[in-house]
Amino acid sequence: APFTGTKAALRPADDSMVKPFKFDQQLIVCNAYPSHSPVTLTKNGGEALASGKNALRFQECREFDSHLKAHDKLDLMLSGIEIHGTFEVGALPESDAVLLLVLQKRDHSKLLSFQSFAFPTGDDSKEAQLAVIDAYKGNHSSMAHLKVEDHITNKENHAVSKRMEELNFNRVYTVEEGAYDASVSDQKAKKLLNLVKSKNFVVLRTGEDGNFPESLVVYPEVMQSGSSNSRLAALPMVLVACLAMFMPMP
């Protein structure tokens, strides 16, 4: 699906020169590849973004200061294992955006696979943006949904029924600010989700059948503040985008 941001008109300074606009595009990388070996990440064959003691561990997400341009190449390799992949950045949104790249294991193979998304930026938003990603490798994983419901503490009135939504994986949603209980439909993986307005969040379903237990990873994790008058009047979860911003090298 194409990015639907607004394109600003370009005004040439003279008949022979056009001054391009520059957009703020940040990068978040999540390692969902089930392995004890961390992932090294380099850009354009030289700039080390994650290496050595700072390599990206399994179930870790990290934001990088390095800004991307079209045709930049990202090289990712599992340390100590001859498994690597190279990505060439394709067309980027013509607006400010936070780009999300998820590294995972390919189905029925040890090779790398990727998912990529874009969070449109908006500091005045009254909702949080939530990327819901399924990187679990196992039987019937494609049938799972993420169940999100109100988080109610012991101090609250349990007589009030919880609101609940089942979300499809591999989408980006807007969600009202508040505290929620997130779980996979079969309840094997659970996580408390504290969402803050105008912020971007990631929920990853990770693991591999028989090797790594199924679990949910939340990035960034926010501690619940105050007592929980965070129960909301509604729980609208509206699909924002499902955008592929990176193109794998052939």
Side-chain angles (χ1 to χ4, degrees):
F3 187 78
T4 56
T6 301
K7 295 184 179 180
L10 296 176
R11 293 183 176 274
D14 53 47
D15 292 338
S16 61
M17 181 179 294
V18 174
K19 183 178 180 180
F21 285 95
K22 292 184 179 180
F23 299 106
D24 183 16
Q25 292 168 343
Q26 302 171 1
L27 173 65
I28 297 173
V29 179
C30 294
N31 178 9
Y33 190 103
S35 172
H36 296 294
S37 297
V39 169
T40 62
L41 172 62
T42 58
K43 174 182 169 184
N44 294 330
E47 182 182 355
L49 302 182
S51 61
K53 294 181 179 180
N54 292 320
L56 201 64
R57 301 182 304 275
F58 174 51
Q59 297 183 325
E60 181 183 3
C61 295
R62 192 182 304 170
E63 184 172 348
F64 295 93
D65 293 333
S66 182
H67 294 268
L68 296 180
K69 303 185 301 294
H71 307 300
D72 280 346
K73 294 179 181 179
L74 300 174
D75 297 309
L76 300 100
M77 181 177 66
L78 272 74
S79 302
I81 305 177
E82 293 300 321
I83 299 176
H84 60 85
T86 300
F87 276 73
E88 182 174 346
V89 179
L92 293 171
E94 295 187 15
S95 69
D96 292 346
V98 177
L99 309 178
L100 170 64
L101 176 63
V102 178
L103 165 68
Q104 61 189 63
K105 190 174 184 179
R106 188 174 298 181
D107 291 337
H108 312 296
S109 171
K110 292 184 178 180
L111 297 178
L112 304 183
S113 179
F114 299 83
Q115 295 191 61
S116 52
F117 304 85
F119 294 104
T121 58
D123 294 336
D124 57 348
S125 173
K126 296 181 180 180
E127 291 84 24
Q129 295 186 110
L130 177 65
V132 180
I133 313 299
D134 187 3
Y136 180 77
K137 299 304 173 187
N139 294 331
H140 309 298
S141 62
S142 61
M143 301 174 61
H145 293 80
L146 185 73
K147 183 168 73 172
V148 180
E149 57 187 344
D150 291 310
H151 176 72
I152 299 178
T153 69
N154 293 330
K155 297 180 181 179
E156 293 182 286
N157 185 1
H158 287 263
V160 179
S161 61
K162 291 184 178 181
R163 295 160 303 146
M164 187 271 290
E165 294 276 354
E166 283 200 346
L167 306 183
N168 292 323
F169 278 105
N170 307 328
R171 299 288 188 274
V172 179
Y173 296 87
T174 59
V175 185
E176 285 190 24
E177 181 180 49
Y180 304 95
D181 292 316
S183 62
V184 179
S185 300
D186 57 12
Q187 297 292 315
K188 289 182 179 179
K190 300 180 181 179
K191 201 74 173 180
L192 176 62
L193 184 59
N194 289 304
L195 301 182
V196 180
K197 64 181 181 180
S198 303
K199 301 297 183 182
N200 301 315
F201 294 86
V202 181
V203 173
L204 286 172
R205 182 189 182 212
T206 64
E208 184 177 34
D209 192 17
N211 295 310
F212 290 84
E214 179 184 3
S215 61
L216 291 178
V217 176
V218 175
Y219 175 83
E221 288 201 78
V222 178
M223 298 299 293
Q224 189 173 4
S225 59
S227 68
S228 56
N229 289 333
S230 59
R231 187 165 174 79
L232 305 175
L235 184 62
M237 298 187 178
V238 182
L239 181 66
V240 174
C242 180
L243 304 177
M245 304 313 306
F246 302 89
M247 298 299 294
M249 293 285 288

